[in-house]
Amino acid sequence: MLKALIFDVDGTLAETERDGHRVAFNAAFRDVGLDWEWDEQLYGELLRVPGGRERIRHYIEHYAPPIECEFGEIRSIDRLIADIHGTKTAHYAGLVAGGQIKLRPPVAELLRAARRAGLRVAIATTTTRSNVTTLLEQLMPKARDAFSPIVTADEVAAKKPNPAVYLEALARLGLDADEVMAVEDSEAGVRAALAAGLRVLHTPSAYFPQRVDGVTARLAGCGPNDDAADCLVVAGLAELRAVEQAIAA
Ligand code: XBP
Ligand code: MG
């Protein structure tokens, strides 16, 4: 029986990537004196690499941009990446506090229904912990303490698609995998949850609109493909539980 939902953050709770993280990365590049610009299309390609620091490193290694900092001398690539990422995290907090990023309505309704039904809710994410805190405070100030545990990738050995963050969340919940479902948008996230033995409710997002194999169902209203017959589409928690019971029977 379903006892808890573990939510991903970026792309799942809110469309944070295009108008949040991407914009914050570009502001940070400018701050450190780099003329790099990640446009929407390039960012979509770079998003295949989970983790902001890993994404910057991948860009340096595979896109070979000129590294000419106007301000200060570059002591090492590691230091440059850390500086950019720290600055980016501050910009991201400012953007979120500005109120432009909203909780996605179908996910908000799922959350409300889960809490009404007494399900526990948790978070398993690749993003930095302070980003989660800032986002929850802005998007759901009254419910920000509802999520427990909140596990971020910096606390485990490897990022999604590695299952570590989901396994850690599961262990802290003290539940069996078959009592928990993950709510995810990206392919790497879905693969991480499946590898942890979880069922997955897929919530496609702007950068990850496509179907991912292995999911239990897709949440209606999260993407353009609700009419497609490629996946079971559920309207919300009640329907999801009905499906679960039918499968178990
Ligand atoms: C989110 C990520 C993160 C964010 C940026 O993936 O990959 O890297 O893009 O946050 P998921 P940081 O939704 O699968 O958790 O810069 O803090 O890494
Ligand atoms: Mg995501």
Side-chain angles (χ1 to χ4, degrees):
M1 197 180 79
L2 190 61
K3 292 187 180 164
L5 295 176
I6 306 179
F7 288 82
D8 167 52
V9 173
D10 294 308
T12 295
L13 291 184
E15 284 289 1
T16 47
E17 294 290 5
R18 188 191 59 201
D19 303 327
H21 291 297
R22 184 187 71 86
V23 175
F25 277 115
N26 286 330
F29 299 151
R30 286 192 293 275
D31 279 358
V32 300
L34 292 165
D35 66 355
W36 304 348
E37 177 75 26
W38 289 357
D39 64 24
E40 289 178 22
Q41 191 193 330
L42 172 61
Y43 195 64
E45 290 170 27
L46 295 171
L47 263 185
R48 287 196 298 256
V49 180
R53 286 181 292 268
E54 292 80 355
R55 199 166 299 143
I56 300 166
R57 187 179 300 279
H58 176 86
Y59 179 67
I60 294 170
E61 288 173 357
H62 295 268
Y63 292 73
I67 300 180
E68 288 160 10
C69 273
E70 218 176 294
F71 309 108
E73 157 206 357
I74 302 165
R75 268 155 288 178
S76 74
I77 294 294
D78 287 352
R79 179 66 196 272
L80 176 67
I81 292 172
D83 284 351
I84 295 171
H85 195 256
T87 310
K88 174 258 175 187
T89 301
H91 279 292
Y92 180 76
L95 279 165
V96 170
Q100 298 305 309
I101 292 170
K102 310 279 184 210
L103 192 60
R104 296 207 294 167
V107 178
E109 184 44 45
L110 176 71
L111 255 170
R112 275 193 291 272
R115 297 187 65 216
R116 275 198 305 268
L119 262 63
R120 293 166 67 189
V121 292
I123 281 178
T125 179
T126 302
T127 204
T128 306
R129 177 167 286 273
S130 69
N131 294 345
V132 183
T133 311
T134 314
L135 194 71
L136 295 182
E137 260 164 27
Q138 182 66 33
L139 298 188
M140 47 185 112
K142 289 190 192 141
R144 60 167 189 242
D145 298 328
F147 293 98
S148 180
I150 294 175
V151 184
T152 70
D154 288 335
E155 298 158 46
V156 294
K159 295 188 173 177
K160 301 172 188 176
N162 187 290
V165 76
Y166 276 107
L167 290 171
E168 182 62 25
L170 201 55
R172 291 199 215 165
L173 280 167
L175 294 173
D176 293 332
D178 62 2
E179 298 174 309
V180 180
M181 205 175 277
V183 186
E184 266 289 356
D185 69 313
S186 70
E187 183 173 352
V190 170
R191 280 169 48 207
L194 292 175
L198 300 177
R199 290 163 296 161
V200 180
L201 178 62
H202 190 208
T203 56
S205 60
Y207 275 119
F208 298 102
Q210 66 278 27
R211 173 181 192 276
V212 184
D213 283 343
V215 302
T216 297
R218 184 166 67 225
L219 184 63
C222 289
N225 302 320
D226 284 353
D227 294 336
D230 62 357
C231 184
L232 180 67
V233 179
V234 294
L237 186 70
E239 230 182 290
L240 186 64
R241 291 188 115 174
V243 170
E244 190 197 23
Q245 277 156 18
I247 292 171

